[in-house]
Amino acid sequence: MSAPEEAIPTLRIGDVAKLADTTPRTIRYYEELGLLPNEPSRPSGGHRLYTQADVDRLREVMRLKHLLGVSLGELKELLTAEEARAAVRAELRRDDVNPARRRELLAQALGHIDRQLDLVHRRALELAKLQKELSETRKRVKRRIRELDAHASGTYAPTPDVEAAGESRS
Amino acid sequence: MSAPEEAIPTLRIGDVAKLADTTPRTIRYYEELGLLPNEPSRPSGGHRLYTQADVDRLREVMRLKHLLGVSLGELKELLTAEEARAAVRAELRRDDVNPARRRELLAQALGHIDRQLDLVHRRALELAKLQKELSETRKRVKRRIRELDAHASGTYAPTPDVEAAGESRS
DNA sequence: CCTGATCTTTACGTTCACGTCAGTTTCTAC
DNA sequence: GTAGAAACTGACGTGAACGTAAAGATCAGG
């Protein structure tokens, strides 16, 4: 097997910044706040070295921040839970824990997940509601346009470029 | 008909703050930034007087800020569009606009709505994806718990209070 | 009409989430 | 081994989104 359990850290902070589309400053700041559970290795010189897993975690942190719209402080709470989950997984990987303990750990993990799911779910509901409202307003407007076009047909030539309005690149 | 088109403004800034669950400072700040399209009336004294419609608009602004996670600057852009829509509605209410103009106005309104919908839609998709991921992780954990309980039955008494983990009030 | 609560503007203070600079050290390439 | 790029640790700066304090004007109730 040539796939090592944990790849050797080889990425420098600038590389990580580019890969995660952010800056070294932000990475150090997040580390300072404790948002990045496992600190980077620092062989010999003081330079931080990261793995791809670190990049993924960083991206996930930024994603949560973006999607949940929470402060870095609140985010840390959530990630502390995540970290606990990681610890749980580590302990679970060893086969020498008794079933009672195993169950306790799994129940904890479940609690952490549920906490995040709860947050996400609330937001999703709110967003869905907003989306629905906007969609209905949109429908009404479109209906009025159709009515206008129908009534005006023969009198004014309908200008049929409505669908293209309000589109963004992508 | 005893329902006036526009109710007389009677709410003071402190009332509005309480109704919208914010502070007078924030309201003045938003007004300063131009986030509140129609400025409050100021009869005789310099005190601002608001209507319930103003409260609703303020709440809507705060809601958008919360749900879309945009800066007040970006939010202003969106609300400027909203304002334009309002102006459109006002012009449309008068019956003396010719159909071509009417159609143009409606098309504009549609564009503004689509712009907001686009934003909301993107976010909703991202959130849904996150939710799905979390849900699947949750399933896996629950499955492991069930397996554990099944295997342990007879040896250890299963502790069946897992569903209650990580719940919040409401 | 008087008093206390609420409002006004002006202005400075604060927290968050980084940006930026300085001086030094370490890595990479030649 | 030496130049240049990148990283290190402070430290101070900054824009956004308000909070807070001051000094005065205004409003609502008795």
Side-chain angles (χ1 to χ4, degrees):
Chain A
M1 292 102 170
S2 57
E5 270 288 310
E6 286 282 319
I8 44 173
T10 173
L11 300 168
R12 298 170 58 174
I13 198 170
D15 307 326
V16 175
K18 277 174 190 169
L19 289 174
D21 194 33
T22 180
T23 72
R25 173 63 170 122
T26 296
I27 298 177
R28 293 196 198 97
Y29 183 52
Y30 284 14
E31 176 184 335
E32 182 187 335
L33 294 188
L35 291 179
L36 308 177
N38 36 8
E39 295 190 3
S41 56
R42 306 236 198 167
S44 66
H47 292 195
R48 297 165 176 81
L49 284 188
Y50 300 87
T51 74
Q52 179 60 40
D54 291 323
V55 177
D56 296 343
R57 253 182 306 268
L58 174 57
R59 292 197 72 100
E60 187 62 19
V61 168
M62 297 174 65
R63 183 188 181 199
L64 286 176
K65 171 178 153 63
H66 173 65
L67 282 181
L68 299 185
V70 295
S71 73
L72 294 183
E74 303 170 275
L75 190 52
K76 190 194 166 163
E77 308 252 323
L78 285 176
L79 293 177
T80 302
E82 265 295 313
E83 185 184 4
R85 267 201 343 112
V88 163
R89 282 202 304 277
E91 186 169 348
L92 282 174
R93 236 188 290 285
R94 294 169 19 205
D95 254 0
D96 57 353
V97 278
N98 70 45
R101 174 65 180 154
R102 278 186 97 84
R103 200 179 188 295
E104 191 184 319
L105 292 174
L106 285 171
Q108 273 182 32
L110 194 64
H112 297 144
I113 296 172
D114 281 347
R115 189 144 157 254
Q116 293 190 30
L117 255 178
D118 190 48
L119 253 167
V120 172
H121 192 57
R122 277 186 218 277
R123 285 219 135 212
L125 283 182
E126 292 176 285
L127 254 183
K129 192 176 167 196
L130 176 58
Q131 189 174 0
K132 188 181 167 194
E133 289 169 12
L134 281 174
S135 291
E136 281 173 6
T137 302
R138 199 197 123 98
K139 268 188 190 172
R140 278 195 296 275
V141 172
K142 283 212 77 175
R143 197 163 56 90
R144 292 188 61 180
I145 291 184
R146 277 202 316 276
E147 286 171 6
L148 195 59
D149 284 348
H151 181 273
S153 89
T155 309
Y156 295 87
T159 23
D161 57 345
V162 178
E163 284 299 345
E167 266 183 314
S168 46
R169 75 278 177 274
S170 151
Chain B
M1 292 100 172
S2 58
E5 270 288 311
E6 286 280 320
I8 46 173
T10 173
L11 299 168
R12 299 170 55 176
I13 198 171
D15 307 326
V16 175
K18 277 175 191 168
L19 289 174
D21 193 34
T22 180
T23 72
R25 172 62 169 121
T26 297
I27 298 177
R28 294 197 197 96
Y29 183 51
Y30 282 14
E31 177 184 336
E32 182 187 336
L33 294 187
L35 292 179
L36 308 177
N38 36 9
E39 294 192 3
S41 57
R42 305 234 198 168
S44 65
H47 292 195
R48 296 166 176 82
L49 284 188
Y50 300 87
T51 74
Q52 179 59 41
D54 291 323
V55 177
D56 296 343
R57 249 179 310 264
L58 175 56
R59 292 197 72 99
E60 188 62 17
V61 168
M62 296 173 65
R63 183 188 181 200
L64 286 176
K65 170 180 154 61
H66 173 65
L67 282 182
L68 299 185
V70 295
S71 74
L72 294 184
E74 301 170 276
L75 191 50
K76 192 194 166 165
E77 308 253 323
L78 284 177
L79 292 177
T80 302
E82 264 296 312
E83 186 184 3
R85 273 209 330 122
V88 164
R89 283 201 303 277
E91 187 170 348
L92 282 175
R93 238 187 288 285
R94 295 169 16 206
D95 254 359
D96 58 352
V97 278
N98 71 44
R101 174 66 179 153
R102 279 186 95 84
R103 199 179 190 294
E104 189 182 323
L105 291 174
L106 286 171
Q108 272 181 34
L110 195 63
H112 298 144
I113 296 173
D114 281 347
R115 191 144 155 253
Q116 292 190 31
L117 256 177
D118 191 47
L119 254 166
V120 172
H121 191 57
R122 277 184 218 275
R123 283 219 139 210
L125 283 182
E126 291 176 285
L127 254 183
K129 192 176 167 196
L130 175 58
Q131 189 173 1
K132 188 180 167 195
E133 290 169 12
L134 281 173
S135 291
E136 281 173 5
T137 302
R138 198 198 124 99
K139 268 188 190 170
R140 278 196 294 274
V141 172
K142 284 212 74 175
R143 198 163 57 88
R144 291 189 61 179
I145 291 185
R146 277 202 317 278
E147 286 172 4
L148 196 58
D149 284 350
H151 181 272
S153 89
T155 310
Y156 295 87
T159 23
D161 58 344
V162 177
E163 283 300 344
E167 264 182 315
S168 47
R169 76 278 178 272
S170 157

